[in-house]
Amino acid sequence: MKLKVASVASVFGTFFALSSSFAYAELYSCKDASGRIITSDRPIPECAERAVKVLRNNGQFQREIPAPPTEEEKRKAQIEQEKQKNEARLEDLKQKEERYLQAHYSSEKDIELMRSRSLEELRERIRLGKEQMTMVTQILAQLQAEQQNNAKRSATEVSALQHRASEMERSIKKTKSINDAYEAELVRINAQYDETLKRYREIMNKKR
């Protein structure tokens, strides 16, 4: 008798387990390429590239498996990811710049002092270049004046004067080119320190 009771209990237990399993079984449903709705108790190969609804076996909606991203969506996602990386990189550089400025300058006067030191050598080079051009220009004027009186000079002397005049002209041109580069660097350094001063003021205002 006990054996029969145990057997009956075992049967009911197995039936209950199967019933529970069946009650919570999942169904997959999607539309194929032709718009036909397909339903199955397992993942549907025809809908591998489409959104799939997951239902209980009683038809109740449970969740949705989204369609895999298209190539265009992948491309946009990659662009957005790169954008976020660049923004994070710029923010990191900004933070490093702020720490650097606070560590190296205790006031705006420090920045102006560094500006002055950075520009001092360039200004001196520009001054010397201008003096050299003035001196060479004067020598060239003398040579040109001498060239005008060719009647009293031999062909060799005239040729030597012309050669020296050409050298003076090349020297003036070269010195002017160098000075122009120094002037451009002067503008660049000034702009750099203007930006440093602006950033320093922003940081100090933010701390107040």
Side-chain angles (χ1 to χ4, degrees):
M1 185 65 181
K2 288 182 179 178
L3 181 60
K4 288 182 179 180
V5 172
S7 298
V8 172
S10 176
V11 170
F12 273 101
T14 302
F15 176 77
F16 180 76
L18 290 173
S19 298
S20 299
S21 175
F22 179 74
Y24 292 102
E26 291 182 335
L27 295 176
Y28 299 89
S29 176
C30 72
K31 287 184 180 181
D32 65 8
S34 63
R36 181 171 57 96
I37 296 176
I38 305 174
T39 302
S40 175
D41 61 351
R42 63 195 64 192
I44 306 167
E46 293 86 347
C47 296
E49 301 298 322
R50 299 177 177 278
V52 177
K53 292 181 179 179
V54 181
L55 313 171
R56 294 189 185 280
N57 64 345
N58 61 3
Q60 183 181 1
F61 177 80
Q62 188 172 352
R63 70 181 191 278
E64 182 171 288
I65 302 173
T70 64
E71 290 302 317
E72 178 63 16
E73 288 171 338
K74 288 179 182 177
R75 187 185 69 81
K76 288 181 178 179
Q78 185 176 7
I79 291 173
E80 181 61 26
Q81 188 178 22
E82 288 298 322
K83 178 184 175 183
Q84 291 176 1
K85 284 183 179 178
N86 287 334
E87 287 175 352
R89 193 178 300 115
L90 288 173
E91 182 61 27
D92 182 56
L93 289 173
K94 183 179 177 181
Q95 294 296 326
K96 287 180 179 177
E97 180 190 27
E98 288 187 4
R99 290 194 293 270
Y100 174 86
L101 290 176
Q102 292 180 78
H104 286 75
Y105 303 113
S106 59
S107 68
E108 293 183 15
K109 289 181 180 180
D110 289 345
I111 297 174
E112 293 299 348
L113 180 61
M114 289 300 297
R115 183 206 297 264
S116 178
R117 289 176 180 174
S118 298
L119 298 178
E120 185 177 357
E121 184 179 355
L122 271 176
R123 285 172 175 154
E124 180 62 15
R125 290 182 179 182
I126 291 170
R127 186 187 67 78
L128 291 174
K130 288 179 177 179
E131 284 184 359
Q132 181 178 342
M133 281 192 291
T134 299
M135 180 182 67
V136 174
T137 300
Q138 290 173 351
I139 295 173
L140 178 61
Q142 292 174 359
L143 290 172
Q144 289 171 340
E146 292 179 17
Q147 283 180 312
Q148 290 175 0
N149 190 11
N150 290 337
K152 298 180 181 179
R153 300 183 182 280
S154 65
T156 302
E157 289 175 327
V158 171
S159 177
L161 285 173
Q162 290 175 343
H163 179 71
R164 285 191 64 195
S166 296
E167 285 185 339
M168 295 299 103
E169 288 173 350
R170 284 194 295 270
S171 177
I172 292 169
K173 186 177 179 179
K174 182 178 179 180
T175 303
K176 185 179 183 305
S177 176
I178 293 172
N179 259 25
D180 288 344
Y182 287 154
E183 293 281 4
E185 182 67 3
L186 203 69
V187 172
R188 187 193 69 80
I189 291 175
N190 258 322
Q192 186 180 44
Y193 275 98
D194 285 343
E195 183 62 26
T196 298
L197 192 59
K198 178 184 174 182
R199 289 286 296 119
Y200 184 81
R201 285 171 177 166
E202 289 174 355
I203 294 167
M204 292 299 103
N205 288 334
K206 191 166 62 175
K207 288 179 66 178
R208 290 170 186 166

